[in-house]
C-alpha cells in the first residue's frame, strides 16, 4: 500500500531504477521533525521485481561526512535529490547536490562512487570543465543521469516558476534572484538562455566528472518560455528525471504548477524536447478534468520506471503540512499506443494488487481535503486536514467542516461493516460513500481517547471499491482519525 515505506521513513525525490532484477529507490532523506530539506544521510531501498511490497535498506548508503562540502557545521546542510547510474567500468556513480554548506547556493554537482548499487558510496569529486573549473552555469540542482549506450548525460536545474520579465518587475526579479542564487545581476543577465532553465551536459565516461559537451538549455523555465505556449503554462521548475523508452527520451520534471509532474519528449537527448502532458498531480488536479485540490500541495519530485513490461510513477507527498517530512508513493501508469502517458491517479493500493478486507491505517489516504485545501505557503493552512504523528502513532488530524478522506481501490465481497477509531472535540456527522454513492452515516461525539464507531451497511460487493468518509461536523468541532477496518 501507499506510502511505500514505513511511516517513520521520509524518502522523497525518488528515482527508481531496475538493476539486475532489483528495483532500487534513490532519494533524498528528510529528518523526522526536521526544519529544513534533506538533513539525513542517504539511505537507499530495493526490492525484487517480483515482489514490490517489501522494499528494504542495507544500512546507510552515503554518509554526509564523506562529502567535504558538509564540513561547515554552523549551518544545516541539505543533501538534495540524488540519482545513480552504472558506469562503463561496472561501478555505480551517485550524482547529487549539497547546499546550505560552505558552498555558494546551487552548487556544485557532486559525484560519489561505489562498487554496489546500494553503496557504500565514497566522494569522488565535483562536475567540472576540462580546465578543472567547477560547473556553475545555470543553477546546479536535482541532477539526473543516464548511461545511453556508453554515453553519460546529466540534466539539472532550478527555475523559480515566475514571470518577472516585464519592465516593472524585471529589475526587482534580477535583484531577488541574485540573492537567492548567490550570482551577480550581471551574471544572471549574461546567461542566455535563462539561468533558470533545465540544463544538459555530456560527461566523460572515463572519469564520470568532466564535461565534454554543454551545459546548455533543453527545457524552458517561466522566464524563457514563449508566452501562451504549453511550456509557459507548464514551465520547468526543478526535479528533472531522464528515461529512454522505445528509443525516445522522456524528460520528466516538476512544473511551475505546484504539485505537478509533467514531461517532455525528444528523439534526441540534447534538444527538441516537446511538452507532452502531466504524469501525476499530488492534488489530482487535471485527472479526468478535476479542478478541486484534493490535497495540500507543494514540492513534487519523481520518476517513471518500466518494471516487467509495466510502467510505474514514483513521487512524494507532504505530511504534517510541512515541506520537510515527505513520504514516498508509487502508482501504475499507462502508456498509449502513441507513446504518451495517461495521467495517473493517486491511490491507496499503489503498485500492489487490489486491497482486501481488514485494517487500514487512516494515513494511507489518497485524497484528503476540504474547502480550505490548496497550496502550502508560509506557515500552515490551519483549517485544512493533514497527516501527523504523536511519538510512534500516525493519524489524520484537523478534520473539520466538510473534510473528505478517500481510500482506493479494494476488491471485496459481502462487506457488511466498517469500524473506525476516531477522537476529537465537538459533534457532527460522519457520512460514508462507496463508489461515489452515499450509503449511511452516524453521529460523532467528542472524546479525548480513541473511540470505536461502526458503520453497518447492506451486503456490498465490488471489484474496484472506492471508500470516502466525509466529516460533516459542526462549527468549532475538530476530529482525529486513526484507522478503519473492513469486515
Amino acid at each position: 500500500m501507499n506510502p511505500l515505506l514505513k511511516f517513520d521513513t521520509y524518502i522523497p525525490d525518488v528515482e527508481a531504477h531496475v538493476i539486475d532484477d532489483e528495483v532500487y529507490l534513490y532519494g533524498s532523506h528528510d529528518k523526522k521533525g526536521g526544519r529544513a530539506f534533506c538533513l539525513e544521510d542517504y539511505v537507499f531501498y530495493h526490492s525484487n521485481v517480483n515482489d514490490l511490497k517489501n522494499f528494504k535498506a542495507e544500512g546507510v548508503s552515503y554518509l554526509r561526512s564523506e562529502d567535504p562540502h558538509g564540513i561547515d557545521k554552523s549551518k544545516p546542510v541539505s543533501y538534495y535529490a540524488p540519482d545513480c547510474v552504472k558506469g562503463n567500468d561496472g561501478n555505480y556513480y551517485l550524482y547529487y547536490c549539497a547546499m546550505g554548506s560552505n558552498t555558494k547556493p546551487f552548487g556544485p554537482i557532486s559525484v560519489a562512487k561505489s562498487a554496489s548499487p546500494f553503496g557504500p558510496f565514497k566522494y569522488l569529486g565535483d562536475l567540472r570543465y576540462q580546465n578543472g573549473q567547477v560547473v556553475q552555469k545555470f543553477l546546479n540542482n536535482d541532477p539526473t543521469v543516464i548511461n545511453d549506450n556508453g554515453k553519460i548525460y546529466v540534466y539539472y536545474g532550478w527555475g523559480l516558476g515566475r514571470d518577472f520579465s516585464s519592465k516593472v518587475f524585471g529589475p526587482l526579479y534580477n535583484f531577488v534572484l541574485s540573492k537567492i542564487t548567490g550570482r551577480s545581476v550581471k551574471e544572471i543577465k549574461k546567461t542566455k538562455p535563462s539561468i533558470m532553465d533545465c540544463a544538459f551536459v555530456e560527461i566523460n565516461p572515463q572519469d564520470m566528472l568532466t564535461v565534454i559537451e554543454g551545459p546548455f538549455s533543453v527545457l524552458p523555465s517561466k522566464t524563457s518560455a514563449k508566452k501562451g505556449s504549453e511550456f509557459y503554462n507548464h514551465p520547468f521548475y526543478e526535479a528533472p528525471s531522464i528515461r529512454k523508452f522505445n528509443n525516445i527520451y522522456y524528460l520528466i520534471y516538476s512544473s511551475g504548477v505546484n504539485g505537478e509532474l509533467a514531461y517532455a519528449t525528444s528523439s534526441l537527448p540534447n534538444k527538441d524536447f516537446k511538452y507532452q502532458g502531466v504524469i501525476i498531480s499530488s492534488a489530482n488536479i487535471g485527472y479526468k478534468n478535476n479542478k478541486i485540490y484534493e490535497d495540500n500541495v507543494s514540492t513534487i519530485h519523481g520518476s517513471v520506471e518500466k518494471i516487467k513490461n509495466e510502467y510505474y510513477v514514483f513521487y512524494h507527498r507532504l505530511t504534517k503540512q510541512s515541506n520537510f517530512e515527505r513520504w514516498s508513493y508509487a502508482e501504475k501508469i499507462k502508456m498509449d499506443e502513441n507513446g504518451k502517458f495517461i495521467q495517473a491517479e493517486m491511490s491507496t493500493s499503489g503498485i500492489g494488487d487490489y486491497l482486501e478486507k481488514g485494517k487500514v491505517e487512516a494515513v494511507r489516504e489518497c485524497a484528503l481535503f476540504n474547502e480550505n485545501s490548496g497550496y502550502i505557503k508560509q506557515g500552515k493552512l490551519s483549517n485544512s486536514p493533514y497527516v501527523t504523528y504523536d511519538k510512534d502513532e500516525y493519524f489524520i488530524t484537523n478534520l473539520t467542516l466538510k473534510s473528505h478522506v478517500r481510500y482506493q481501490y479494494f476488491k471485496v465481497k459481502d462487506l457488511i461493516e466498517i469500524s473506525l477509531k476516531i477522537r476529537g472535540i465537538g459533534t457532527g456527522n460522519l457520512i460514508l460513500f462507496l463508489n461515489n454513492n452515499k450509503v449511511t452515516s452516524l453521529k460523532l461525539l467528542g472524546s479525548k481517547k480513541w473511540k470505536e464507531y461502526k458503520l453497518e451497511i447492506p451486503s456490498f460487493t465490488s471489484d474496484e471499491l472506492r471508500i470516502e468518509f466525509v466529516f460533516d461536523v459542526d462549527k468549532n468541532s475538530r476530529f482525529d482519525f486513526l484507522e478503519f477496518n473492513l469486515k
Side-chain angles (χ1 to χ4, degrees):
M1 290 186 284
N2 276 324
L4 284 175
L5 308 175
K6 293 180 179 179
F7 295 152
D8 62 355
T9 304
Y10 301 89
I11 307 293
D13 310 326
V14 169
E15 285 282 355
H17 293 288
V18 174
I19 303 172
D20 298 330
D21 291 328
E22 291 283 303
V23 180
Y24 287 83
L25 307 182
Y26 298 95
S28 307
H29 193 180
D30 285 345
K31 182 177 181 179
K32 186 175 182 178
R35 301 298 182 186
F37 292 109
C38 317
L39 294 177
E40 300 281 48
D41 295 323
Y42 286 139
V43 178
F44 304 140
Y45 285 75
H46 68 101
S47 184
N48 189 270
V49 293
N50 296 311
D51 178 17
L52 299 181
K53 299 177 181 179
N54 296 295
F55 284 95
K56 60 182 180 179
E58 305 292 339
V60 174
S61 300
Y62 186 45
L63 289 166
R64 297 153 59 83
S65 57
E66 291 284 344
D67 183 349
H69 303 303
I71 60 176
D72 184 355
K73 304 301 182 183
S74 64
K75 302 176 183 177
V77 183
S78 296
Y79 282 74
Y80 286 107
D83 196 8
C84 187
V85 70
K86 187 176 184 178
N88 297 339
D89 60 359
N91 290 305
Y92 294 85
Y93 294 85
L94 190 71
Y95 290 75
Y96 66 96
C97 287
M99 294 190 216
S101 60
N102 59 329
T103 67
K104 72 178 184 177
F106 295 100
I109 293 173
S110 300
V111 186
K113 178 180 177 181
S114 174
S116 166
F118 53 76
F121 288 86
K122 299 294 182 181
Y123 176 78
L124 182 65
D126 299 331
L127 226 59
R128 64 197 182 204
Y129 296 111
Q130 294 181 29
N131 64 6
Q133 181 182 357
V134 173
V135 174
Q136 288 290 147
K137 188 176 182 182
F138 300 96
L139 297 177
N140 293 335
N141 184 54
D142 294 350
T144 182
V145 58
I146 188 173
N147 186 331
D148 187 19
N149 296 316
K151 293 187 175 183
I152 308 300
Y153 304 136
V154 175
Y155 304 74
Y156 65 93
W158 186 80
L160 190 58
R162 300 289 184 268
D163 180 14
F164 292 123
S165 59
S166 70
K167 293 181 180 180
V168 176
F169 292 106
L172 176 61
Y173 167 77
N174 289 329
F175 173 76
V176 171
L177 190 57
S178 70
K179 296 299 182 183
I180 294 174
T181 63
R183 311 292 177 92
S184 68
V185 171
K186 182 179 180 181
E187 184 179 358
I188 291 169
K189 289 181 176 180
K190 185 178 178 181
T191 305
K192 302 294 182 184
S194 171
I195 194 174
M196 315 298 284
D197 287 1
C198 179
F200 163 93
V201 290
E202 183 177 350
I203 306 299
N204 187 333
Q206 300 301 315
D207 64 11
M208 302 297 281
L209 291 172
T210 306
V211 173
I212 60 177
E213 182 187 15
F216 48 79
S217 169
V218 287
L219 285 183
S221 61
K222 192 82 166 185
T223 55
S224 59
K226 183 179 179 181
K227 286 189 176 182
S229 68
E230 290 179 309
F231 275 125
Y232 187 81
N233 295 322
H234 305 270
F236 170 76
Y237 174 43
E238 61 181 359
S241 175
I242 186 67
R243 292 294 185 275
K244 189 178 182 181
F245 300 128
N246 305 318
N247 292 317
I248 297 295
Y249 297 90
Y250 287 72
L251 188 48
I252 300 158
Y253 63 97
S254 175
S255 87
V257 180
N258 250 6
E260 178 184 271
L261 270 187
Y263 75 109
T265 61
S266 175
S267 59
L268 299 170
N270 56 2
K271 62 180 179 180
D272 298 336
F273 280 92
K274 292 180 173 57
Y275 176 81
Q276 296 294 347
V278 176
I279 287 178
I280 196 166
S281 161
S282 61
N284 277 331
I285 294 296
Y287 180 77
K288 293 186 176 178
N289 298 316
N290 175 55
K291 296 181 181 179
I292 298 173
Y293 280 87
E294 295 187 339
D295 196 6
N296 295 317
V297 295
S298 185
T299 69
I300 192 169
H301 188 147
S303 58
V304 172
E305 183 68 333
K306 189 176 184 180
I307 305 172
K308 295 185 66 176
N309 295 318
E310 289 196 89
Y311 295 95
Y312 299 84
V313 56
F314 295 79
Y315 63 105
H316 67 241
R317 292 171 62 197
L318 307 178
T319 66
K320 290 187 69 180
Q321 292 192 320
S322 166
N323 285 316
F324 311 130
E325 295 174 88
R326 296 164 292 174
W327 279 343
S328 303
Y329 294 77
E331 314 288 353
K332 292 180 180 179
I333 187 169
K334 297 293 184 181
M335 180 188 286
D336 69 17
E337 64 276 9
N338 298 314
K340 294 193 69 171
F341 285 116
I342 301 169
Q343 182 174 343
E345 180 186 21
M346 296 191 297
S347 75
T348 303
S349 50
I351 57 179
D353 298 325
Y354 287 108
L355 303 176
E356 298 178 351
K357 291 179 183 178
K359 187 180 76 172
V360 178
E361 298 92 338
V363 296
R364 295 191 185 277
E365 48 74 26
C366 57
L368 178 61
F369 63 96
N370 62 17
E371 62 266 29
N372 297 293
S373 298
Y375 292 116
I376 291 290
K377 299 180 181 178
Q378 295 296 325
K380 294 182 177 180
L381 294 172
S382 59
N383 293 319
S384 184
Y386 58 94
V387 168
T388 190
Y389 57 81
D390 181 8
K391 296 181 180 178
D392 294 326
E393 189 171 67
Y394 290 76
F395 54 94
I396 295 171
T397 191
N398 219 34
L399 291 158
T400 56
L401 180 63
K402 294 292 176 65
S403 291
H404 294 244
V405 194
R406 185 184 306 147
Y407 304 85
Q408 58 196 40
Y409 289 99
F410 298 80
K411 187 174 184 178
V412 297
K413 184 178 181 180
D414 299 327
L415 177 67
I416 59 173
E417 180 185 287
I418 302 178
S419 62
L420 310 93
K421 287 187 178 179
I422 296 171
R423 70 184 180 194
I425 57 174
T427 58
N429 294 311
L430 176 69
I431 306 171
L432 171 66
F433 288 81
L434 298 179
N435 290 344
N436 300 323
N437 296 311
K438 181 179 177 180
V439 175
T440 187
S441 64
L442 56 76
K443 188 74 173 179
L444 293 174
L445 298 174
S447 172
K448 290 183 179 180
K449 295 183 178 181
W450 294 113
K451 181 178 178 180
E452 186 174 22
Y453 293 87
K454 293 183 179 180
L455 289 161
E456 296 182 357
I457 58 178
S459 181
F460 193 93
T461 297
S462 175
D463 288 335
E464 192 171 80
L465 176 61
R466 171 181 172 136
I467 302 171
E468 188 158 339
F469 302 105
V470 177
F471 287 73
D472 187 13
V473 301
D474 302 324
K475 186 178 181 181
N476 299 323
S477 296
R478 177 181 176 274
F479 287 88
D480 300 334
F481 183 16
L482 179 64
E483 66 187 35
F484 65 97
N485 202 330
L486 304 184
K487 301 177 182 179

